[in-house]
Amino acid sequence: MSEVGIERMGFATTGLFLDMRDLAQRRGVDPEKYIIGIGQSEQSVAPSSQDAVTLAAAAAKDALEGEDMDPIDMVLLGTESGVDASRAGAVYVKELLGLPDRIRCVEVKQACYAATAALSWALDYVSKRPRKKVLVIGSDIARYGLNTPGEATQGAGAVAMLVSSSPAILEIEDDGVFLTAEAEDFWRPPYSNCALVDGKYSTQVYLEFFSRLWKRYREETGRSIQDFEAFLFHLPFSKMGLKALREALKEADPDTASMLSERFEASAAYSRRVGNIYSGSLYLALLSLLEGEALEAGSRIALFSYGSGAEAELFSARVKEGYLSRLSPERHLKMLEGRRKVGIDEYEHLFSDFPPSSPQDYVCDKRYFSGPFRFLGVKGQQRMYEADE
Ligand code: HMG
């Protein structure tokens, strides 16, 4: 079978961030709990004019810069921050990007696992049609509510991947192992714009799923921890991935353990500043690693994708020669550095300014418009978007 995987990657977040030390001070918590205990230093804050659609389109624009759009046959959006219960957000994304009508656009949902499910569909698709490409995007805004334990793990952003049979960045191997079992760890009823979560239990389920899949992966492939140059995790907060890594490192020799720990830190660098972006989170870890570390061609990476509810997958991928030339570390660093810091009062105001879940019209605050695509508001129960000229 021919190689398939990721040819281009892009990333977008909002133009605002919250410093976790400021949040800790206002909530009366020791800042070290957020910075070290949870492992987050900043979180992107979304004004209502940035939603899963605008962030997805911005990440896709970043990934597709200078790219021929003609081979793109499908847009798959993994999200749990869907803007409509019926229509796929991918349809709005396609319009904002100016992609042709002859393509397919679908939204995929299963908590933070959605982008991985979309990726696997895309890989199968391009395996059968090697001249075609699929745009896969994970885009979300993680909202738990003001003054909740989950608040320190909120975030907003999207990662886009162009999947093809010319995987200039990463070849994805066909060795995934899966696990699904009902768990009441995290969910969001349709009436709520914030997730409900049994936080401590959710971390237990995550770790249990990782251990079961890692055991099965080793049994089915005959590989061990020594066969990997990096281990990536879905990062709801960086400490969560670190706990899972420690589980895997139990069988590693000291050199492997120290290399994998160092690379884990590189993979968590973007996430520490952006927060949980749910569906795109594992792929933000991938981007962070690839843009932060020089990996040799052929290096094998393990990827653990987890979505509450719960479903998980563990699979592997190999880095391609010259991958860095297809990425944009300077642009992404500039994007993070360019965000404006908001104080707690402004953050709380923005958090509460959410489009109503009722038929009334709603207008987004123009003062917070940023990025190449904006959600303008709701008129006559229809969402309105605009793109830069
Ligand atoms: P909490 O209960 O307030 O925190 O919230 P805690 O008391 O467990 O403390 C956190 C850590 O800080 C602990 O470290 C403390 O010891 C440490 P640990 O024992 O875990 O290693 N700590 C300190 N460290 C240094 N200095 C100090 C200090 N004080 C304490 N002074 C919780 C934590 C994760 C429960 C909360 O943030 C939460 O509910 N988050 C949301 C749920 C979540 O992210 N779950 C992760 C697994 S589920 C998942 O990944 C799926 C998800 O992305 C959704 C989806 O799939 O769609 C969420």
Side-chain angles (χ1 to χ4, degrees):
M1 204 180 77
S2 63
E3 283 185 357
V4 285
I6 301 172
E7 184 178 342
R8 300 286 304 267
M9 286 186 86
F11 160 53
T13 188
T14 66
L16 306 170
F17 79 96
L18 183 62
D19 189 317
M20 300 309 291
R21 291 183 187 277
D22 294 344
L23 184 67
Q25 193 182 23
R26 178 66 71 91
R27 301 288 180 251
V29 169
D30 179 353
E32 301 289 289
K33 173 174 173 181
Y34 291 167
I35 310 287
I36 296 163
I38 286 179
Q40 295 301 116
S41 53
E42 297 169 358
Q43 70 180 228
S44 285
V45 172
S48 63
S49 48
Q50 290 298 315
D51 65 10
V53 165
T54 61
L55 290 167
K61 186 175 154 72
D62 186 49
L64 297 175
E65 203 194 317
E67 191 69 28
D68 175 14
M69 306 277 209
D70 214 42
I72 298 177
D73 237 12
M74 186 151 69
V75 178
L76 299 176
L77 173 64
T79 186
E80 55 182 295
S81 318
V83 299
D84 191 279
S86 170
R87 186 192 297 183
V91 174
Y92 290 111
V93 171
K94 172 245 168 210
E95 293 298 332
L96 289 171
L97 294 172
L99 289 168
D101 293 353
R102 59 169 172 72
I103 67 169
R104 289 194 289 176
C105 299
V106 180
E107 186 168 307
V108 179
K109 180 171 73 173
Q110 179 21 55
C112 302
Y113 176 70
T116 302
L119 178 62
S120 109
W121 180 1
L123 292 167
D124 286 350
Y125 190 85
V126 300
S127 298
K128 287 195 195 129
R129 301 166 189 82
R131 286 197 300 277
K132 299 297 185 184
K133 302 186 183 188
V134 179
L135 181 60
V136 173
I137 315 166
S139 179
D140 272 302
I141 298 177
R143 291 169 57 89
Y144 290 94
L146 304 176
N147 247 310
T148 59
E151 186 179 33
T153 69
Q154 295 175 150
V159 174
M161 298 170 276
L162 186 63
V163 175
S164 78
S165 58
S166 324
I169 296 175
L170 200 71
E171 178 199 349
I172 298 184
E173 299 187 299
D174 189 18
D175 60 357
V177 287
F178 319 102
L179 186 59
T180 304
E182 193 180 338
E184 308 303 325
D185 63 334
F186 168 108
W187 66 105
R188 183 168 67 81
Y191 57 78
S192 175
N193 60 44
C194 289
L196 305 180
V197 61
D198 185 342
K200 293 262 167 34
Y201 176 58
S202 74
T203 64
Q204 282 169 26
V205 181
Y206 177 115
L207 288 176
E208 187 203 317
F209 270 49
F210 173 69
S211 297
R212 287 174 64 185
L213 279 184
W214 178 224
K215 181 169 180 289
R216 225 170 78 215
Y217 181 88
R218 282 174 295 164
E219 284 165 3
E220 289 188 15
T221 62
R223 290 190 185 131
S224 76
I225 191 83
Q226 258 70 244
D227 292 310
F228 293 94
E229 273 77 36
F231 228 109
L232 300 180
F233 297 89
H234 163 56
L235 293 177
F237 51 94
S238 74
K239 181 70 157 299
M240 185 75 251
L242 187 60
K243 285 186 184 192
L245 178 70
R246 284 178 184 154
E247 191 58 36
L249 292 185
K250 282 179 183 162
E251 58 159 32
D253 63 50
D255 286 350
T256 307
S258 107
M259 175 194 64
L260 293 177
S261 300
E262 193 184 302
R263 291 194 168 150
F264 172 80
E265 285 310 317
S267 77
Y270 288 170
S271 172
R272 277 183 195 277
R273 302 187 63 179
V274 172
N276 194 356
I277 60 165
Y278 290 158
S279 198
S281 171
L282 169 64
Y283 303 98
L284 186 60
L286 171 65
L287 189 68
S288 189
L289 172 76
L290 295 179
E291 294 192 338
E293 283 274 306
L295 297 179
E296 272 179 34
S299 294
R300 181 173 277 120
I301 299 177
L303 295 99
F304 175 65
S305 178
Y306 176 81
S308 282
E311 191 156 335
E313 178 173 343
L314 184 63
F315 62 104
S316 77
R318 300 191 85 165
V319 171
K320 299 297 288 183
E321 180 88 51
Y323 69 87
L324 197 55
S325 67
R326 308 307 298 262
L327 298 170
S328 316
E330 296 84 18
R331 187 159 74 216
H332 296 144
L333 206 57
K334 208 166 140 197
M335 189 194 297
L336 291 174
E337 295 295 333
R339 294 173 304 165
R340 178 170 72 78
K341 178 172 139 167
V342 293
I344 302 299
D345 291 340
E346 192 176 7
Y347 148 70
E348 291 190 342
H349 162 73
L350 288 168
F351 191 90
S352 308
D353 179 17
F354 200 83
S357 51
S358 62
Q360 75 204 70
D361 287 353
Y362 171 81
V363 179
C364 294
D365 188 342
K366 276 197 165 132
R367 287 171 304 170
Y368 289 102
F369 279 10
S370 69
F373 306 103
R374 277 90 45 196
F375 167 53
L376 301 175
V378 181
K379 198 168 179 196
Q381 300 196 60
Q382 307 224 352
R383 292 178 85 84
M384 296 174 302
Y385 289 94
E386 72 171 15
D388 281 351
E389 287 305 311

